[in-house]
Amino acid sequence: MSYPKELFHGDEGEVSGTWWKSGSAPDLLIGTRSKVHYLATGESTGGQYGLYRWDMGAEPGRGAGAHFHKTMSESFFVLSGTVALYDGDRWVDAPPGDFLFVPPGGIHAFDNPHGAASMLVLFAPGAPREAYFEELAEIVGSGRQLSEREWADLYHRHDQYMV
């Protein structure tokens, strides 16, 4: 394996980092249970990756059902609490420090059956996942019920294939 194609062509580095301060308000609330922080979006990283902090409330509840993506990998790193992670074969109660990498096409899911938990979710390459998260938040917040066809359309537009 070799290094990827050069992305920066200058002879000297530049000051261009972006800080995210701990304790910042979430960018999105999905229902009353999930707070999502947009740490680095696909747009802000030039499509290299998207990184999100996903804080799940104390009330246990369903996370993302089993699915896969065709265009990106997804990784999970547990920060606090216990997150139930599915690797396509089995569910594992993952404590802080556990990590799951899922390549494109890999079936995966997550849940928080044990209460409050927090994790980092990384998509690579970066994709506009915020639009998907925001649509979910609107659906949950409004109480709107989608038909099977509407769910299928939503998933298709956001590279999410349910199994």
Side-chain angles (χ1 to χ4, degrees), residues 30 62-65 67 129 131-162:
I30 300 178
R62 184 171 178 262
H67 64 281
R129 291 304 280 176
Y132 174 66
F133 301 152
E134 290 165 10
E135 282 192 64
L136 287 180
E138 184 279 322
I139 292 164
V140 171
S142 70
R144 186 164 53 101
Q145 298 296 311
L146 272 61
S147 68
E148 282 188 38
R149 181 168 171 77
E150 289 171 317
W151 278 115
D153 178 59
L154 172 73
Y155 293 143
H156 178 75
R157 285 185 286 111
H158 295 288
D159 184 33
Q160 183 138 325
Y161 299 89
M162 306 307 287

PDB file of all heavy atoms in Angstrom, residues 30 62-65 67 129 131-162:
ATOM      1  N   ILE A  30     -32.453  14.241  17.825  1.00  0.00           N
ATOM      2  CA  ILE A  30     -33.381  13.305  17.184  1.00  0.00           C
ATOM      3  C   ILE A  30     -34.279  12.763  18.285  1.00  0.00           C
ATOM      4  O   ILE A  30     -33.844  11.977  19.125  1.00  0.00           O
ATOM      5  CB  ILE A  30     -32.639  12.169  16.460  1.00  0.00           C
ATOM      6  CG1 ILE A  30     -31.714  12.746  15.381  1.00  0.00           C
ATOM      7  CG2 ILE A  30     -33.640  11.188  15.840  1.00  0.00           C
ATOM      8  CD1 ILE A  30     -30.899  11.707  14.639  1.00  0.00           C
ATOM      9  N   ARG A  62     -34.254   1.957  20.540  1.00  0.00           N
ATOM     10  CA  ARG A  62     -33.718   1.415  19.292  1.00  0.00           C
ATOM     11  C   ARG A  62     -32.845   2.445  18.588  1.00  0.00           C
ATOM     12  O   ARG A  62     -33.192   3.605  18.468  1.00  0.00           O
ATOM     13  CB  ARG A  62     -34.880   1.010  18.381  1.00  0.00           C
ATOM     14  CG  ARG A  62     -34.428   0.355  17.109  1.00  0.00           C
ATOM     15  CD  ARG A  62     -35.627  -0.224  16.351  1.00  0.00           C
ATOM     16  NE  ARG A  62     -35.173  -0.807  15.109  1.00  0.00           N
ATOM     17  CZ  ARG A  62     -35.229  -0.191  13.945  1.00  0.00           C
ATOM     18  NH1 ARG A  62     -35.722   1.018  13.858  1.00  0.00           N
ATOM     19  NH2 ARG A  62     -34.794  -0.785  12.851  1.00  0.00           N
ATOM     20  N   GLY A  63     -31.723   1.994  18.095  1.00  0.00           N
ATOM     21  CA  GLY A  63     -30.848   2.823  17.284  1.00  0.00           C
ATOM     22  C   GLY A  63     -31.108   2.540  15.822  1.00  0.00           C
ATOM     23  O   GLY A  63     -32.255   2.451  15.395  1.00  0.00           O
ATOM     24  N   ALA A  64     -30.058   2.361  15.050  1.00  0.00           N
ATOM     25  CA  ALA A  64     -30.183   2.065  13.623  1.00  0.00           C
ATOM     26  C   ALA A  64     -30.334   0.563  13.419  1.00  0.00           C
ATOM     27  O   ALA A  64     -29.535  -0.212  13.918  1.00  0.00           O
ATOM     28  CB  ALA A  64     -28.957   2.579  12.877  1.00  0.00           C
ATOM     29  N   GLY A  65     -31.355   0.163  12.663  1.00  0.00           N
ATOM     30  CA  GLY A  65     -31.543  -1.243  12.333  1.00  0.00           C
ATOM     31  C   GLY A  65     -30.472  -1.736  11.372  1.00  0.00           C
ATOM     32  O   GLY A  65     -29.713  -0.944  10.797  1.00  0.00           O
ATOM     33  N   HIS A  67     -28.327  -2.642   8.392  1.00  0.00           N
ATOM     34  CA  HIS A  67     -28.249  -2.055   7.056  1.00  0.00           C
ATOM     35  C   HIS A  67     -26.807  -2.111   6.552  1.00  0.00           C
ATOM     36  O   HIS A  67     -25.912  -2.518   7.270  1.00  0.00           O
ATOM     37  CB  HIS A  67     -28.744  -0.604   7.075  1.00  0.00           C
ATOM     38  CG  HIS A  67     -27.896   0.311   7.900  1.00  0.00           C
ATOM     39  ND1 HIS A  67     -27.975   0.381   9.275  1.00  0.00           N
ATOM     40  CD2 HIS A  67     -26.917   1.187   7.548  1.00  0.00           C
ATOM     41  CE1 HIS A  67     -27.107   1.268   9.734  1.00  0.00           C
ATOM     42  NE2 HIS A  67     -26.437   1.776   8.701  1.00  0.00           N
ATOM     43  N   ARG A 129     -24.159  12.995   5.270  1.00  0.00           N
ATOM     44  CA  ARG A 129     -25.005  12.262   6.214  1.00  0.00           C
ATOM     45  C   ARG A 129     -25.893  13.183   7.036  1.00  0.00           C
ATOM     46  O   ARG A 129     -26.924  12.754   7.547  1.00  0.00           O
ATOM     47  CB  ARG A 129     -24.158  11.394   7.146  1.00  0.00           C
ATOM     48  CG  ARG A 129     -23.488  10.225   6.458  1.00  0.00           C
ATOM     49  CD  ARG A 129     -24.462   9.320   5.743  1.00  0.00           C
ATOM     50  NE  ARG A 129     -25.136   8.398   6.648  1.00  0.00           N
ATOM     51  CZ  ARG A 129     -26.094   7.561   6.283  1.00  0.00           C
ATOM     52  NH1 ARG A 129     -26.511   7.502   5.056  1.00  0.00           N
ATOM     53  NH2 ARG A 129     -26.655   6.770   7.167  1.00  0.00           N
ATOM     54  N   ALA A 131     -27.857  15.424   6.098  1.00  0.00           N
ATOM     55  CA  ALA A 131     -29.193  15.499   5.489  1.00  0.00           C
ATOM     56  C   ALA A 131     -30.040  14.306   5.921  1.00  0.00           C
ATOM     57  O   ALA A 131     -31.226  14.459   6.217  1.00  0.00           O
ATOM     58  CB  ALA A 131     -29.079  15.559   3.971  1.00  0.00           C
ATOM     59  N   TYR A 132     -29.434  13.132   5.987  1.00  0.00           N
ATOM     60  CA  TYR A 132     -30.156  11.938   6.444  1.00  0.00           C
ATOM     61  C   TYR A 132     -30.555  12.086   7.906  1.00  0.00           C
ATOM     62  O   TYR A 132     -31.709  11.867   8.281  1.00  0.00           O
ATOM     63  CB  TYR A 132     -29.286  10.699   6.238  1.00  0.00           C
ATOM     64  CG  TYR A 132     -29.888   9.439   6.808  1.00  0.00           C
ATOM     65  CD1 TYR A 132     -31.060   8.907   6.283  1.00  0.00           C
ATOM     66  CD2 TYR A 132     -29.291   8.783   7.870  1.00  0.00           C
ATOM     67  CE1 TYR A 132     -31.615   7.747   6.806  1.00  0.00           C
ATOM     68  CE2 TYR A 132     -29.831   7.620   8.399  1.00  0.00           C
ATOM     69  CZ  TYR A 132     -31.000   7.113   7.862  1.00  0.00           C
ATOM     70  OH  TYR A 132     -31.560   5.969   8.384  1.00  0.00           O
ATOM     71  N   PHE A 133     -29.594  12.482   8.750  1.00  0.00           N
ATOM     72  CA  PHE A 133     -29.887  12.657  10.170  1.00  0.00           C
ATOM     73  C   PHE A 133     -30.998  13.684  10.374  1.00  0.00           C
ATOM     74  O   PHE A 133     -31.882  13.513  11.217  1.00  0.00           O
ATOM     75  CB  PHE A 133     -28.643  13.106  10.937  1.00  0.00           C
ATOM     76  CG  PHE A 133     -27.472  12.165  10.859  1.00  0.00           C
ATOM     77  CD1 PHE A 133     -26.189  12.666  10.978  1.00  0.00           C
ATOM     78  CD2 PHE A 133     -27.632  10.797  10.680  1.00  0.00           C
ATOM     79  CE1 PHE A 133     -25.084  11.818  10.917  1.00  0.00           C
ATOM     80  CE2 PHE A 133     -26.540   9.943  10.614  1.00  0.00           C
ATOM     81  CZ  PHE A 133     -25.263  10.457  10.737  1.00  0.00           C
ATOM     82  N   GLU A 134     -30.953  14.779   9.617  1.00  0.00           N
ATOM     83  CA  GLU A 134     -31.946  15.845   9.769  1.00  0.00           C
ATOM     84  C   GLU A 134     -33.323  15.401   9.304  1.00  0.00           C
ATOM     85  O   GLU A 134     -34.327  15.771   9.907  1.00  0.00           O
ATOM     86  CB  GLU A 134     -31.462  17.099   9.049  1.00  0.00           C
ATOM     87  CG  GLU A 134     -30.277  17.711   9.785  1.00  0.00           C
ATOM     88  CD  GLU A 134     -29.486  18.738   8.994  1.00  0.00           C
ATOM     89  OE1 GLU A 134     -29.944  19.146   7.891  1.00  0.00           O
ATOM     90  OE2 GLU A 134     -28.399  19.124   9.477  1.00  0.00           O
ATOM     91  N   GLU A 135     -33.385  14.584   8.256  1.00  0.00           N
ATOM     92  CA  GLU A 135     -34.676  14.037   7.838  1.00  0.00           C
ATOM     93  C   GLU A 135     -35.239  13.122   8.918  1.00  0.00           C
ATOM     94  O   GLU A 135     -36.435  13.178   9.221  1.00  0.00           O
ATOM     95  CB  GLU A 135     -34.556  13.285   6.512  1.00  0.00           C
ATOM     96  CG  GLU A 135     -34.497  14.212   5.318  1.00  0.00           C
ATOM     97  CD  GLU A 135     -34.660  13.469   4.006  1.00  0.00           C
ATOM     98  OE1 GLU A 135     -35.749  12.877   3.788  1.00  0.00           O
ATOM     99  OE2 GLU A 135     -33.709  13.492   3.201  1.00  0.00           O
ATOM    100  N   LEU A 136     -34.391  12.287   9.511  1.00  0.00           N
ATOM    101  CA  LEU A 136     -34.859  11.427  10.599  1.00  0.00           C
ATOM    102  C   LEU A 136     -35.378  12.259  11.767  1.00  0.00           C
ATOM    103  O   LEU A 136     -36.427  11.949  12.346  1.00  0.00           O
ATOM    104  CB  LEU A 136     -33.731  10.516  11.091  1.00  0.00           C
ATOM    105  CG  LEU A 136     -33.329   9.362  10.199  1.00  0.00           C
ATOM    106  CD1 LEU A 136     -32.189   8.579  10.847  1.00  0.00           C
ATOM    107  CD2 LEU A 136     -34.504   8.444   9.906  1.00  0.00           C
ATOM    108  N   ALA A 137     -34.650  13.308  12.123  1.00  0.00           N
ATOM    109  CA  ALA A 137     -35.075  14.174  13.226  1.00  0.00           C
ATOM    110  C   ALA A 137     -36.428  14.797  12.937  1.00  0.00           C
ATOM    111  O   ALA A 137     -37.293  14.882  13.822  1.00  0.00           O
ATOM    112  CB  ALA A 137     -34.035  15.258  13.484  1.00  0.00           C
ATOM    113  N   GLU A 138     -36.643  15.230  11.713  1.00  0.00           N
ATOM    114  CA  GLU A 138     -37.931  15.840  11.338  1.00  0.00           C
ATOM    115  C   GLU A 138     -39.052  14.808  11.427  1.00  0.00           C
ATOM    116  O   GLU A 138     -40.139  15.106  11.935  1.00  0.00           O
ATOM    117  CB  GLU A 138     -37.846  16.419   9.915  1.00  0.00           C
ATOM    118  CG  GLU A 138     -39.107  17.164   9.479  1.00  0.00           C
ATOM    119  CD  GLU A 138     -40.222  16.248   8.981  1.00  0.00           C
ATOM    120  OE1 GLU A 138     -39.933  15.247   8.304  1.00  0.00           O
ATOM    121  OE2 GLU A 138     -41.403  16.525   9.307  1.00  0.00           O
ATOM    122  N   ILE A 139     -38.804  13.597  10.962  1.00  0.00           N
ATOM    123  CA  ILE A 139     -39.821  12.541  11.000  1.00  0.00           C
ATOM    124  C   ILE A 139     -40.182  12.211  12.442  1.00  0.00           C
ATOM    125  O   ILE A 139     -41.354  12.152  12.810  1.00  0.00           O
ATOM    126  CB  ILE A 139     -39.330  11.285  10.238  1.00  0.00           C
ATOM    127  CG1 ILE A 139     -39.242  11.595   8.749  1.00  0.00           C
ATOM    128  CG2 ILE A 139     -40.235  10.091  10.508  1.00  0.00           C
ATOM    129  CD1 ILE A 139     -38.422  10.596   7.952  1.00  0.00           C
ATOM    130  N   VAL A 140     -39.166  12.017  13.274  1.00  0.00           N
ATOM    131  CA  VAL A 140     -39.406  11.702  14.688  1.00  0.00           C
ATOM    132  C   VAL A 140     -40.102  12.870  15.380  1.00  0.00           C
ATOM    133  O   VAL A 140     -41.084  12.690  16.109  1.00  0.00           O
ATOM    134  CB  VAL A 140     -38.086  11.345  15.411  1.00  0.00           C
ATOM    135  CG1 VAL A 140     -38.294  11.244  16.910  1.00  0.00           C
ATOM    136  CG2 VAL A 140     -37.518  10.045  14.858  1.00  0.00           C
ATOM    137  N   GLY A 141     -39.615  14.095  15.153  1.00  0.00           N
ATOM    138  CA  GLY A 141     -40.165  15.274  15.811  1.00  0.00           C
ATOM    139  C   GLY A 141     -41.603  15.572  15.436  1.00  0.00           C
ATOM    140  O   GLY A 141     -42.399  16.013  16.262  1.00  0.00           O
ATOM    141  N   SER A 142     -41.945  15.326  14.183  1.00  0.00           N
ATOM    142  CA  SER A 142     -43.301  15.618  13.716  1.00  0.00           C
ATOM    143  C   SER A 142     -44.271  14.483  14.007  1.00  0.00           C
ATOM    144  O   SER A 142     -45.486  14.680  13.955  1.00  0.00           O
ATOM    145  CB  SER A 142     -43.286  15.884  12.202  1.00  0.00           C
ATOM    146  OG  SER A 142     -43.014  14.681  11.483  1.00  0.00           O
ATOM    147  N   GLY A 143     -43.733  13.282  14.275  1.00  0.00           N
ATOM    148  CA  GLY A 143     -44.606  12.125  14.474  1.00  0.00           C
ATOM    149  C   GLY A 143     -45.148  11.577  13.165  1.00  0.00           C
ATOM    150  O   GLY A 143     -46.004  10.695  13.159  1.00  0.00           O
ATOM    151  N   ARG A 144     -44.642  12.094  12.062  1.00  0.00           N
ATOM    152  CA  ARG A 144     -45.098  11.675  10.738  1.00  0.00           C
ATOM    153  C   ARG A 144     -44.814  10.191  10.527  1.00  0.00           C
ATOM    154  O   ARG A 144     -43.754   9.692  10.900  1.00  0.00           O
ATOM    155  CB  ARG A 144     -44.382  12.512   9.678  1.00  0.00           C
ATOM    156  CG  ARG A 144     -44.846  12.283   8.274  1.00  0.00           C
ATOM    157  CD  ARG A 144     -44.380  13.418   7.357  1.00  0.00           C
ATOM    158  NE  ARG A 144     -42.953  13.679   7.420  1.00  0.00           N
ATOM    159  CZ  ARG A 144     -42.069  13.258   6.505  1.00  0.00           C
ATOM    160  NH1 ARG A 144     -42.467  12.531   5.482  1.00  0.00           N
ATOM    161  NH2 ARG A 144     -40.796  13.572   6.620  1.00  0.00           N
ATOM    162  N   GLN A 145     -45.761   9.477   9.954  1.00  0.00           N
ATOM    163  CA  GLN A 145     -45.621   8.053   9.662  1.00  0.00           C
ATOM    164  C   GLN A 145     -45.325   7.887   8.169  1.00  0.00           C
ATOM    165  O   GLN A 145     -46.089   8.370   7.341  1.00  0.00           O
ATOM    166  CB  GLN A 145     -46.904   7.297  10.027  1.00  0.00           C
ATOM    167  CG  GLN A 145     -47.257   7.371  11.501  1.00  0.00           C
ATOM    168  CD  GLN A 145     -46.216   6.689  12.362  1.00  0.00           C
ATOM    169  OE1 GLN A 145     -45.820   5.560  12.100  1.00  0.00           O
ATOM    170  NE2 GLN A 145     -45.754   7.379  13.390  1.00  0.00           N
ATOM    171  N   LEU A 146     -44.236   7.228   7.835  1.00  0.00           N
ATOM    172  CA  LEU A 146     -43.869   7.014   6.448  1.00  0.00           C
ATOM    173  C   LEU A 146     -44.358   5.658   5.966  1.00  0.00           C
ATOM    174  O   LEU A 146     -44.373   4.688   6.725  1.00  0.00           O
ATOM    175  CB  LEU A 146     -42.348   7.074   6.277  1.00  0.00           C
ATOM    176  CG  LEU A 146     -41.743   8.442   6.023  1.00  0.00           C
ATOM    177  CD1 LEU A 146     -42.012   9.404   7.150  1.00  0.00           C
ATOM    178  CD2 LEU A 146     -40.255   8.320   5.767  1.00  0.00           C
ATOM    179  N   SER A 147     -44.741   5.616   4.711  1.00  0.00           N
ATOM    180  CA  SER A 147     -45.106   4.347   4.089  1.00  0.00           C
ATOM    181  C   SER A 147     -43.822   3.572   3.792  1.00  0.00           C
ATOM    182  O   SER A 147     -42.721   4.139   3.830  1.00  0.00           O
ATOM    183  CB  SER A 147     -45.867   4.597   2.783  1.00  0.00           C
ATOM    184  OG  SER A 147     -44.995   5.176   1.822  1.00  0.00           O
ATOM    185  N   GLU A 148     -43.963   2.299   3.473  1.00  0.00           N
ATOM    186  CA  GLU A 148     -42.782   1.507   3.111  1.00  0.00           C
ATOM    187  C   GLU A 148     -42.058   2.136   1.928  1.00  0.00           C
ATOM    188  O   GLU A 148     -40.834   2.180   1.891  1.00  0.00           O
ATOM    189  CB  GLU A 148     -43.180   0.069   2.782  1.00  0.00           C
ATOM    190  CG  GLU A 148     -43.437  -0.779   4.001  1.00  0.00           C
ATOM    191  CD  GLU A 148     -43.641  -2.246   3.638  1.00  0.00           C
ATOM    192  OE1 GLU A 148     -42.947  -2.745   2.723  1.00  0.00           O
ATOM    193  OE2 GLU A 148     -44.486  -2.872   4.289  1.00  0.00           O
ATOM    194  N   ARG A 149     -42.810   2.632   0.973  1.00  0.00           N
ATOM    195  CA  ARG A 149     -42.216   3.255  -0.219  1.00  0.00           C
ATOM    196  C   ARG A 149     -41.464   4.533   0.169  1.00  0.00           C
ATOM    197  O   ARG A 149     -40.373   4.791  -0.348  1.00  0.00           O
ATOM    198  CB  ARG A 149     -43.292   3.558  -1.248  1.00  0.00           C
ATOM    199  CG  ARG A 149     -42.761   4.190  -2.523  1.00  0.00           C
ATOM    200  CD  ARG A 149     -43.823   4.192  -3.620  1.00  0.00           C
ATOM    201  NE  ARG A 149     -43.428   4.950  -4.765  1.00  0.00           N
ATOM    202  CZ  ARG A 149     -42.573   4.550  -5.694  1.00  0.00           C
ATOM    203  NH1 ARG A 149     -41.977   3.385  -5.575  1.00  0.00           N
ATOM    204  NH2 ARG A 149     -42.296   5.310  -6.736  1.00  0.00           N
ATOM    205  N   GLU A 150     -42.012   5.333   1.071  1.00  0.00           N
ATOM    206  CA  GLU A 150     -41.331   6.558   1.514  1.00  0.00           C
ATOM    207  C   GLU A 150     -40.039   6.231   2.268  1.00  0.00           C
ATOM    208  O   GLU A 150     -39.024   6.902   2.081  1.00  0.00           O
ATOM    209  CB  GLU A 150     -42.267   7.396   2.387  1.00  0.00           C
ATOM    210  CG  GLU A 150     -43.395   8.032   1.611  1.00  0.00           C
ATOM    211  CD  GLU A 150     -44.434   8.686   2.500  1.00  0.00           C
ATOM    212  OE1 GLU A 150     -44.807   8.067   3.529  1.00  0.00           O
ATOM    213  OE2 GLU A 150     -44.880   9.811   2.167  1.00  0.00           O
ATOM    214  N   TRP A 151     -40.072   5.198   3.121  1.00  0.00           N
ATOM    215  CA  TRP A 151     -38.854   4.772   3.808  1.00  0.00           C
ATOM    216  C   TRP A 151     -37.817   4.304   2.797  1.00  0.00           C
ATOM    217  O   TRP A 151     -36.636   4.663   2.885  1.00  0.00           O
ATOM    218  CB  TRP A 151     -39.131   3.661   4.816  1.00  0.00           C
ATOM    219  CG  TRP A 151     -39.645   4.148   6.133  1.00  0.00           C
ATOM    220  CD1 TRP A 151     -40.877   3.903   6.669  1.00  0.00           C
ATOM    221  CD2 TRP A 151     -38.942   4.956   7.096  1.00  0.00           C
ATOM    222  NE1 TRP A 151     -40.983   4.512   7.898  1.00  0.00           N
ATOM    223  CE2 TRP A 151     -39.812   5.168   8.187  1.00  0.00           C
ATOM    224  CE3 TRP A 151     -37.680   5.531   7.133  1.00  0.00           C
ATOM    225  CZ2 TRP A 151     -39.460   5.909   9.299  1.00  0.00           C
ATOM    226  CZ3 TRP A 151     -37.314   6.279   8.246  1.00  0.00           C
ATOM    227  CH2 TRP A 151     -38.198   6.463   9.311  1.00  0.00           C
ATOM    228  N   ALA A 152     -38.248   3.500   1.816  1.00  0.00           N
ATOM    229  CA  ALA A 152     -37.325   2.988   0.803  1.00  0.00           C
ATOM    230  C   ALA A 152     -36.691   4.138   0.027  1.00  0.00           C
ATOM    231  O   ALA A 152     -35.485   4.121  -0.259  1.00  0.00           O
ATOM    232  CB  ALA A 152     -38.049   2.033  -0.148  1.00  0.00           C
ATOM    233  N   ASP A 153     -37.477   5.172  -0.300  1.00  0.00           N
ATOM    234  CA  ASP A 153     -36.956   6.340  -1.016  1.00  0.00           C
ATOM    235  C   ASP A 153     -35.938   7.094  -0.160  1.00  0.00           C
ATOM    236  O   ASP A 153     -34.867   7.474  -0.641  1.00  0.00           O
ATOM    237  CB  ASP A 153     -38.101   7.270  -1.418  1.00  0.00           C
ATOM    238  CG  ASP A 153     -37.602   8.515  -2.112  1.00  0.00           C
ATOM    239  OD1 ASP A 153     -36.938   8.392  -3.166  1.00  0.00           O
ATOM    240  OD2 ASP A 153     -37.851   9.630  -1.589  1.00  0.00           O
ATOM    241  N   LEU A 154     -36.267   7.306   1.111  1.00  0.00           N
ATOM    242  CA  LEU A 154     -35.353   7.985   2.033  1.00  0.00           C
ATOM    243  C   LEU A 154     -34.027   7.232   2.108  1.00  0.00           C
ATOM    244  O   LEU A 154     -32.953   7.821   1.960  1.00  0.00           O
ATOM    245  CB  LEU A 154     -35.987   8.086   3.424  1.00  0.00           C
ATOM    246  CG  LEU A 154     -35.088   8.597   4.541  1.00  0.00           C
ATOM    247  CD1 LEU A 154     -34.846  10.086   4.390  1.00  0.00           C
ATOM    248  CD2 LEU A 154     -35.704   8.294   5.897  1.00  0.00           C
ATOM    249  N   TYR A 155     -34.098   5.938   2.325  1.00  0.00           N
ATOM    250  CA  TYR A 155     -32.886   5.133   2.440  1.00  0.00           C
ATOM    251  C   TYR A 155     -32.073   5.166   1.145  1.00  0.00           C
ATOM    252  O   TYR A 155     -30.851   5.331   1.164  1.00  0.00           O
ATOM    253  CB  TYR A 155     -33.217   3.687   2.812  1.00  0.00           C
ATOM    254  CG  TYR A 155     -33.807   3.527   4.197  1.00  0.00           C
ATOM    255  CD1 TYR A 155     -34.798   2.592   4.443  1.00  0.00           C
ATOM    256  CD2 TYR A 155     -33.354   4.301   5.261  1.00  0.00           C
ATOM    257  CE1 TYR A 155     -35.330   2.418   5.711  1.00  0.00           C
ATOM    258  CE2 TYR A 155     -33.877   4.135   6.536  1.00  0.00           C
ATOM    259  CZ  TYR A 155     -34.864   3.196   6.757  1.00  0.00           C
ATOM    260  OH  TYR A 155     -35.391   3.027   8.009  1.00  0.00           O
ATOM    261  N   HIS A 156     -32.744   5.018   0.006  1.00  0.00           N
ATOM    262  CA  HIS A 156     -32.051   5.001  -1.284  1.00  0.00           C
ATOM    263  C   HIS A 156     -31.293   6.313  -1.527  1.00  0.00           C
ATOM    264  O   HIS A 156     -30.153   6.300  -1.990  1.00  0.00           O
ATOM    265  CB  HIS A 156     -33.043   4.733  -2.418  1.00  0.00           C
ATOM    266  CG  HIS A 156     -32.412   4.740  -3.767  1.00  0.00           C
ATOM    267  ND1 HIS A 156     -31.624   3.700  -4.220  1.00  0.00           N
ATOM    268  CD2 HIS A 156     -32.429   5.657  -4.753  1.00  0.00           C
ATOM    269  CE1 HIS A 156     -31.186   3.992  -5.429  1.00  0.00           C
ATOM    270  NE2 HIS A 156     -31.655   5.167  -5.766  1.00  0.00           N
ATOM    271  N   ARG A 157     -31.928   7.439  -1.212  1.00  0.00           N
ATOM    272  CA  ARG A 157     -31.288   8.754  -1.404  1.00  0.00           C
ATOM    273  C   ARG A 157     -30.056   8.935  -0.539  1.00  0.00           C
ATOM    274  O   ARG A 157     -29.195   9.761  -0.835  1.00  0.00           O
ATOM    275  CB  ARG A 157     -32.281   9.889  -1.121  1.00  0.00           C
ATOM    276  CG  ARG A 157     -33.308  10.084  -2.211  1.00  0.00           C
ATOM    277  CD  ARG A 157     -34.215  11.288  -1.982  1.00  0.00           C
ATOM    278  NE  ARG A 157     -35.190  11.039  -0.927  1.00  0.00           N
ATOM    279  CZ  ARG A 157     -35.209  11.626   0.267  1.00  0.00           C
ATOM    280  NH1 ARG A 157     -34.318  12.527   0.574  1.00  0.00           N
ATOM    281  NH2 ARG A 157     -36.129  11.327   1.153  1.00  0.00           N
ATOM    282  N   HIS A 158     -29.972   8.148   0.553  1.00  0.00           N
ATOM    283  CA  HIS A 158     -28.871   8.329   1.501  1.00  0.00           C
ATOM    284  C   HIS A 158     -27.974   7.095   1.619  1.00  0.00           C
ATOM    285  O   HIS A 158     -27.332   6.898   2.652  1.00  0.00           O
ATOM    286  CB  HIS A 158     -29.435   8.734   2.873  1.00  0.00           C
ATOM    287  CG  HIS A 158     -30.112  10.070   2.826  1.00  0.00           C
ATOM    288  ND1 HIS A 158     -29.432  11.245   2.699  1.00  0.00           N
ATOM    289  CD2 HIS A 158     -31.426  10.399   2.867  1.00  0.00           C
ATOM    290  CE1 HIS A 158     -30.280  12.267   2.679  1.00  0.00           C
ATOM    291  NE2 HIS A 158     -31.499  11.772   2.773  1.00  0.00           N
ATOM    292  N   ASP A 159     -27.910   6.276   0.553  1.00  0.00           N
ATOM    293  CA  ASP A 159     -27.018   5.118   0.520  1.00  0.00           C
ATOM    294  C   ASP A 159     -27.171   4.241   1.767  1.00  0.00           C
ATOM    295  O   ASP A 159     -26.212   3.879   2.423  1.00  0.00           O
ATOM    296  CB  ASP A 159     -25.547   5.556   0.370  1.00  0.00           C
ATOM    297  CG  ASP A 159     -24.601   4.377   0.241  1.00  0.00           C
ATOM    298  OD1 ASP A 159     -24.996   3.346  -0.339  1.00  0.00           O
ATOM    299  OD2 ASP A 159     -23.461   4.472   0.725  1.00  0.00           O
ATOM    300  N   GLN A 160     -28.403   3.935   2.084  1.00  0.00           N
ATOM    301  CA  GLN A 160     -28.681   3.075   3.230  1.00  0.00           C
ATOM    302  C   GLN A 160     -29.606   1.963   2.734  1.00  0.00           C
ATOM    303  O   GLN A 160     -30.712   2.223   2.281  1.00  0.00           O
ATOM    304  CB  GLN A 160     -29.344   3.862   4.362  1.00  0.00           C
ATOM    305  CG  GLN A 160     -29.577   3.016   5.585  1.00  0.00           C
ATOM    306  CD  GLN A 160     -29.248   3.753   6.866  1.00  0.00           C
ATOM    307  OE1 GLN A 160     -28.330   4.540   6.921  1.00  0.00           O
ATOM    308  NE2 GLN A 160     -29.998   3.474   7.896  1.00  0.00           N
ATOM    309  N   TYR A 161     -29.131   0.737   2.863  1.00  0.00           N
ATOM    310  CA  TYR A 161     -29.878  -0.426   2.366  1.00  0.00           C
ATOM    311  C   TYR A 161     -30.182  -1.329   3.551  1.00  0.00           C
ATOM    312  O   TYR A 161     -29.292  -1.950   4.127  1.00  0.00           O
ATOM    313  CB  TYR A 161     -29.042  -1.143   1.292  1.00  0.00           C
ATOM    314  CG  TYR A 161     -28.771  -0.223   0.129  1.00  0.00           C
ATOM    315  CD1 TYR A 161     -27.646   0.598   0.130  1.00  0.00           C
ATOM    316  CD2 TYR A 161     -29.668  -0.125  -0.936  1.00  0.00           C
ATOM    317  CE1 TYR A 161     -27.409   1.483  -0.913  1.00  0.00           C
ATOM    318  CE2 TYR A 161     -29.434   0.760  -1.972  1.00  0.00           C
ATOM    319  CZ  TYR A 161     -28.304   1.557  -1.952  1.00  0.00           C
ATOM    320  OH  TYR A 161     -28.090   2.432  -2.986  1.00  0.00           O
ATOM    321  N   MET A 162     -31.455  -1.367   3.918  1.00  0.00           N
ATOM    322  CA  MET A 162     -31.893  -2.133   5.081  1.00  0.00           C
ATOM    323  C   MET A 162     -31.921  -3.627   4.752  1.00  0.00           C
ATOM    324  O   MET A 162     -32.209  -4.007   3.623  1.00  0.00           O
ATOM    325  CB  MET A 162     -33.269  -1.653   5.552  1.00  0.00           C
ATOM    326  CG  MET A 162     -33.358  -0.147   5.834  1.00  0.00           C
ATOM    327  SD  MET A 162     -32.109   0.493   6.968  1.00  0.00           S
ATOM    328  CE  MET A 162     -32.709  -0.157   8.514  1.00  0.00           C
TER     329      MET A 162
END
